[in-house]
Amino acid sequence: MSMRLVLNSAGEVTLVRYAERLPPAVAWTMPTPFTYSLPGTATHAALAMPQQVSTTMPAPMALPLRALPVAGRSPVIVKVRSVWAHNLEEEMALIEPLLMTSFRFAAVDTEFPGTVHRPSRPAYTLTAKEKYALLKANVDELHLIQLGLTLFDSDGRLPDLGTGGAVHYVWEFNFREFDLRRHRHAPESIEFLRTKGVDFDRTRRDGVEATALGPRLRQWLRAGLGRAGVVTFSGAYDLAYLLKLLYGGGYRLPGDAAVFARVVKTTVGSTHYDVKEMARHCPCDLRGGLECVAGKLGVLRAAGVAHQAGSDSLLTCQMFTRMRERYFDDDTLTAVAGVPPC
């Protein structure tokens, strides 16, 4: 019999059969819009406070909870640390001691020059094999522009790098391989990234050599990077570009999607959580892109702007943490783990 997760009036998520009669619906009192605060802060603790309910709704609904504001408290400050060739060693030296601490999760996001190989018919009509063939053709030919990396613990806390919790940090690596004048790209994607602040002249001039980061990234993975889980949002392309970074610019993806999934698991790590896939298992409508799903969850971007890799990896972390707190226990979370489809 079909099962689904349901949020009850006690704020608990339970697994019920479709055939069962559900209890009366609850209407959550919705205070002021949510401002992101990291777990462990007073604002975050307000999520655990009992909410006022009424049982006047005629049918069950899963409405987003909102964090209660705390008077006199400032929101936690999060900063994106931009990594270039000149500060690569300095930033890697900050990251490496964190790998064996409590920051066992890693959210990743990539920015790349769009797609140049596109389907000849609507995407929804493509088979899984055809979708993977397009992913492979694009990633094999194109170059990575940015990699966002957010390290966080099981409660969603980020590293503060000795600031005593005053400021928390995520990273954004900028790469120099992509040359706008020589390499193929989707013009509309390039113009869009420009509007979001990506400076292609600077990335070409000051960016990190992928060959300088790839071997170090392999060492980080062996040392424990993302050992509790690598988190993405609709992340098949993110993982594919991550493989290309790990193995060098001449690397070509496997010809088969199943082999690709095995390579990802053996290279990047055995546990992957994709927030878009997790949303499909939640008892409410969480369809849509990154910003849309974040809005439905009541999560606001804590730093940076959309379509910059550091900021998007942070938003992915925030969404994963919120979704995990609200809808999943350890067993149900394990059930949705896996390499996302293309």
Side-chain angles (χ1 to χ4, degrees):
M1 181 174 290
S2 298
M3 309 287 284
R4 67 175 175 177
L5 294 169
V6 172
L7 180 67
N8 64 24
S9 61
E12 300 170 335
V13 176
T14 57
L15 193 64
V16 301
R17 297 181 176 88
Y18 280 120
E20 293 178 347
R21 179 177 297 275
L22 297 177
V26 294
W28 292 91
T29 299
M30 309 261 292
T32 56
F34 173 71
T35 300
Y36 176 67
S37 293
L38 294 174
T41 65
T43 302
H44 182 274
L47 281 171
M49 296 173 61
Q51 306 287 311
Q52 297 179 346
V53 301
S54 102
T55 57
T56 58
M57 288 189 179
M61 296 182 66
L63 299 178
L65 306 181
R66 306 284 183 143
L68 296 175
V70 179
R73 298 283 184 175
S74 299
V76 171
I77 298 171
V78 183
K79 292 186 177 180
V80 179
R81 300 181 70 90
S82 292
V83 185
W84 305 88
H86 73 270
N87 66 344
L88 175 62
E89 289 296 331
E90 174 186 340
E91 295 300 322
M92 290 194 298
L94 292 174
I95 292 171
E96 286 171 356
L98 302 172
L99 301 181
M100 294 305 294
T101 61
S102 61
F103 302 108
R104 302 170 61 245
F105 290 89
V108 299
D109 180 80
T110 60
E111 296 297 334
F112 46 89
T115 56
V116 296
H117 298 281
R118 300 177 183 180
S120 58
R121 63 181 193 274
Y124 68 86
T125 68
L126 300 178
T127 65
K129 182 177 180 179
E130 290 170 328
K131 290 178 181 178
Y132 178 74
L134 285 171
L135 178 146
K136 172 176 165 56
N138 282 296
V139 175
D140 282 351
E141 183 168 351
L142 303 179
H143 297 274
L144 186 60
I145 296 172
Q146 289 183 336
L147 170 69
L149 177 64
T150 295
L151 304 178
F152 60 104
D153 68 11
S154 58
D155 293 318
R157 284 184 285 259
L158 310 177
D160 65 11
L161 301 182
T163 66
V167 185
H168 295 77
Y169 298 97
V170 303
W171 283 266
E172 181 176 271
F173 295 85
N174 301 275
F175 298 99
R176 65 176 305 168
E177 278 69 27
F178 175 64
D179 187 338
L180 188 58
R181 293 171 292 275
R182 296 191 302 113
H183 295 141
R184 291 189 70 187
H185 58 273
E188 66 276 14
S189 295
I190 296 301
E191 289 308 309
F192 183 72
L193 288 175
R194 276 199 174 113
T195 68
K196 298 300 181 179
V198 177
D199 183 341
F200 292 99
D201 290 331
R202 187 180 181 193
T203 56
R204 181 63 180 161
R205 182 183 65 246
D206 300 330
V208 173
E209 291 275 3
T211 54
L213 182 62
R216 200 71 158 266
L217 192 56
R218 292 199 300 271
Q219 293 176 9
W220 293 355
L221 288 165
R222 290 193 292 269
L225 176 66
R227 65 189 181 277
V230 174
V231 183
T232 59
F233 184 92
S234 191
Y237 272 82
D238 298 316
L239 294 170
Y241 275 105
L242 196 57
L243 284 185
K244 189 170 183 176
L245 176 61
L246 288 166
Y247 288 117
Y251 177 74
R252 295 292 181 266
L253 294 177
D256 178 79
V259 178
F260 167 72
R262 288 199 296 271
V263 173
V264 168
K265 289 182 178 181
T266 57
T267 305
V268 179
S270 59
T271 306
H272 303 89
Y273 300 108
D274 193 84
V275 174
K276 190 173 181 69
E277 287 298 301
M278 289 172 63
R280 295 175 57 247
H281 298 270
C282 293
C284 55
D285 179 10
L286 291 178
R287 292 172 294 180
L290 185 69
E291 293 285 345
C292 178
V293 177
K296 291 178 179 181
L297 287 169
V299 174
L300 297 182
R301 190 179 295 269
V305 297
H307 297 284
Q308 292 224 1
S311 179
D312 280 359
S313 72
L314 171 60
L315 187 59
T316 300
C317 157
Q318 294 173 243
M319 293 163 64
F320 172 79
T321 300
R322 175 59 58 84
M323 207 176 283
R324 184 186 182 201
E325 290 172 340
R326 188 177 293 174
Y327 300 120
F328 295 93
D329 59 22
D330 289 343
D331 290 336
T332 54
L333 187 64
T334 299
V336 300
V339 176
C342 302

